Amino acid sequence: MNGSDRIRILIVENEGLVGCDMAACLNGLGYRVVGTCATGEDALRLYDELQPDLVLMDVHLDGTLDGIETTRRLQQKGHVGVVYVTACADLETVQRARETQPHGYLLKPFNQDELRLTVEVAATRHLKEMDRVRREQSYFETFESLADGVIAADLAGVIVFMNPAAARITGWEQGQVVGRSLHEVFRIYHASGEPAAVELSTAAHSANERTVWLTTLNGNRVAVQDRSTPLRDQSGQLTGVVILFRGLPVPASEAPSASAAAERAAQAPLVDVVESISDPLIALDGGWNLIYANASAQRLFERGPDKLLGANLWDLLPTATRESHYEALAHALLHRESVTRELYFEEKQTWLEIRGHPFAEGLLVLMQDITSRREEAERRNRMDRLESLGLLARGFAHEFNNLLTVLLGNISLAEMRLRSAVQLPELHTAKQATLQAQGLVQQLLTFARGGAPIKRPTQLGDLVEQFFLHHSRATRIEYRLELAPNLPNLAVDPAQIRRLLGNLIRNAEQAQGDGGVITVRCVAADPGEMFPHEMLADHPSLPTGIVIEVNDQGEGITTENLAHIFEPYFSTRKAENATGLGLTVCESIAKAHGGSISVRSEGEKGTSVRFYLPVDAEGEEVDAIGISTAFENAPHSSVPRILVLEDDPLVRSLIVRNLSSQNYEITESAEGSETVRLYQESLQEGRAFDLVILDLSIPNGMGGVRAMERLRQLDPDVLAIVSSGYSDDPVMAKPAAYGFAAVLPKPYEPADMIRLVKTVLAQRTVRQ
């Protein structure tokens, strides 16, 4: 049975349609969605009834509890994994959510792959945690019930557990010993009075039980038999020691004298126990001098015991390290406290985590290489910044695209009115600048969120040719096009493909600052070229994919840099104010289309970038003007009445003026609940609207998806177009899945809206 068969999921989501979509997706992936609800109160009640393993939790919920407070209360009830699924990414909310230690944080909007990966990671983590909890509970119950004493300590000899039997023998209370030194509690001596060291059993050597003398808390000496075994983690690294011992009825006359024991009261060095530790371990006296260094420490400092023992710790480290960490370590030494620091060991170019614990008069210091952990933390931090940029980009795109819609619409209307009277090149220039601004906004949005493409049937050869008709060509660059004829149409997002092509051409131009040749090929993929080392059958009559390839004769990319070219912000052209986002955007576009992008380059020999797109690329297809090919719709009405939902008054005014010019009867609304009310009233009057145009996002109100859900409950045959500046929203990529007949991305020209509205209404009549 795999992990997904065992995971029971509860969805807490106040958007009903979103919750239903997540449930359908997860059930299709093999998980078991045991319930959905919209409030924190219902979530707490359903948890008691359904006992889910994983909860997908929105932050903003109906009711009095938000998602974070609901999570806190769920965690008080039992072990449950929580993944926040929300559009909230402000620092305050993220910090509150982080305090609940969630198993994931998925930002809306998201696609099915993002949901699948997030739930897979969270489910795997939850199952491992439950196994660990069950294992630890089993160990705990076993140790608690043993008649023999059990003490567990970490590598530094700090006690982490002691059972009741050990408390009775040593005279210490269980609550007293956790955090104390092992040698303070488990003080053992040979019969001669010499301090006895803890002897570890290993796979190759099993330590025999022996009789030693234990000094209890009140100073009594009791004979005990002890046996010790190492604790190791999953990678086999030593993490601590477990000591089992039992008291023996030995006459007091045979016990070593107190004076002999006092003379040898020096604590047995813990290094005798941990010589086999693979991480560097050193012991320091009160003057920072090394009194012990294991083999790993000797390798780290590249010195033998003769040169290492007696050396001062700070002489082994750079001066900057002393300035950064001396105060913290000196405080730990003076106050006999544990300390943890992270320092950069410049000589080895590695990051070390040092954990110091009081030991005798000095410190026992364990050093662990955390370079990979630091790099991973930096990577996660970089991804967090990208996520924050994504949220900023989405909000910026929505507001800015509304403004661009007003600008583009009014410029287009002015052009139409003045076309017969006078030609104004200034209007044409302003219009082109507005379209370029749209491209920049969409580039940022695609980079930040990997926007879902709005696919339309496209002839890639024609798209490439049209691109160069409007491309501002660089000086001293020769452009060559090789476009194969009779290529099949593909379902792609033309705007995103133009964006990808523009980035590749710009890179090629910058690589040839002194002039050169750029060759752009658009051809059917050659299986023999793609799989040069494999035996292939005869090529099929239709190509399985199409390749757009951009070649330049520039300076090329070094092998060292080639491994980093798709990383965000990586650029070798800092002096040219390069952002380092171009190829990251291209990779996002390629993946969103089910394709791939690859780069071949050699220094001084030019670069070749290949974008491969399979013919059967997945994704719902819309036609050339944005109508979903998967949609069939409503009954005919003779009255051309249109209901508009748009919160921006400037955009709403433009829509009304534009559609009124076509003699449509327009009713406008600014919030989704108002839209639903107007539609319901029209149904009751027997004058249903022919078409509804819904803005996707309404701040602090009901947006297009929720409004469409309510409208479909009133009228299953409602005909609607969704419009948004959030081109990366899943609704824009798969409109039919949410009940919409077509999509209208912002910004758009008035003629585009009129053409789409007329076509949607005409197709409804034809289908009827």
Side-chain angles (χ1 to χ4, degrees), residues 128-318:
K128 287 184 177 180
E129 286 184 356
M130 292 306 297
D131 287 342
R132 177 182 58 79
V133 169
R134 285 191 291 267
R135 186 168 60 252
E136 290 179 353
Q137 184 64 26
S138 174
Y139 293 160
F140 178 80
E141 292 174 353
T142 300
F143 288 152
E144 285 285 322
S145 62
L146 285 177
D148 291 346
V150 178
I151 295 178
D154 65 16
L155 278 179
V158 177
I159 295 176
V160 296
F161 172 79
M162 185 171 76
N163 74 343
R168 288 194 302 271
I169 298 172
T170 63
W172 291 81
E173 295 182 7
Q174 287 178 276
Q176 289 181 293
V177 300
V178 174
R180 290 183 179 271
S181 169
L182 174 64
H183 291 291
E184 185 180 0
V185 176
F186 193 66
R187 295 179 291 170
I188 54 176
Y189 303 88
H190 295 295
S192 63
E194 291 286 339
V198 175
E199 294 183 353
L200 289 178
S201 61
T202 64
H205 171 70
S206 177
N208 296 321
E209 284 192 348
R210 58 177 181 167
T211 299
V212 292
W213 293 88
L214 170 70
T215 300
T216 65
L217 177 62
N218 58 16
N220 295 329
R221 289 168 178 79
V222 296
V224 297
Q225 281 188 333
D226 74 321
R227 174 177 292 179
S228 305
T229 185
L231 287 175
R232 299 185 183 275
D233 60 19
Q234 294 180 346
S235 62
Q237 298 296 316
L238 189 63
T239 60
V241 61
V242 173
I243 304 170
L244 289 86
F245 59 98
R246 66 170 66 96
L248 298 176
V250 178
S253 60
E254 298 183 18
S257 67
S259 59
E263 292 174 0
R264 301 169 178 86
Q267 297 176 351
L270 186 62
V271 294
D272 292 341
V273 179
V274 293
E275 180 61 37
S276 61
I277 296 175
S278 60
D279 291 322
L281 179 71
I282 60 175
L284 305 172
D285 63 16
W288 303 109
N289 298 312
L290 275 70
I291 58 176
Y292 173 80
N294 70 350
S296 295
Q298 295 169 28
R299 288 192 295 271
L300 174 68
F301 293 109
E302 296 183 346
R303 300 189 185 189
D306 55 332
K307 294 184 179 181
L308 201 54
L309 297 184
N312 189 280
L313 172 67
W314 302 112
D315 292 337
L316 302 174
L317 299 172

Side-chain angles (χ1 to χ4, degrees), residues 378-527:
E378 290 176 2
R379 187 194 68 80
R380 287 198 303 267
N381 186 45
R382 185 166 59 249
M383 296 307 296
D384 288 343
R385 294 200 305 270
L386 294 182
E387 196 66 46
S388 298
L389 177 60
L391 292 165
L392 174 65
R394 297 194 74 252
F396 172 79
H398 176 63
E399 299 298 332
F400 199 70
N401 279 334
N402 277 344
L403 295 176
L404 289 178
T405 300
V406 176
L407 287 171
L408 187 60
N410 283 283
I411 290 172
S412 299
L413 289 176
E415 275 190 325
M416 287 188 289
R417 290 182 180 180
L418 297 174
R419 187 170 296 157
S420 59
V422 63
Q423 293 290 335
L424 293 178
E426 293 82 1
L427 284 178
H428 178 73
T429 301
K431 182 177 178 180
Q432 292 302 313
T434 305
L435 293 174
Q436 289 179 10
Q438 174 197 8
L440 292 175
V441 172
Q442 295 304 318
Q443 173 130 323
L444 176 62
L445 193 58
T446 301
F447 155 70
R449 293 290 299 161
I454 303 174
K455 296 181 178 181
R456 300 176 181 178
T458 304
Q459 222 296 327
L460 288 184
D462 294 344
L463 185 149
V464 173
E465 194 169 21
Q466 288 294 321
F467 172 86
F468 279 99
L469 289 178
H470 302 283
H471 179 66
S472 299
R473 305 195 175 204
T475 57
R476 294 182 294 179
I477 296 289
E478 178 185 351
Y479 298 85
R480 299 175 182 173
L481 299 184
E482 299 178 10
L483 308 177
N486 303 320
L487 292 176
N489 283 2
L490 291 187
V492 299
D493 185 326
Q496 289 194 3
I497 300 301
R498 283 193 293 269
R499 199 168 303 128
L500 177 146
L501 188 59
N503 288 341
L504 298 184
I505 296 298
R506 187 180 305 109
N507 285 348
E509 290 170 345
Q510 292 174 347
Q512 302 176 106
D514 297 329
V517 177
I518 296 176
T519 303
V520 180
R521 302 172 62 237
C522 183
V523 297
D526 181 1

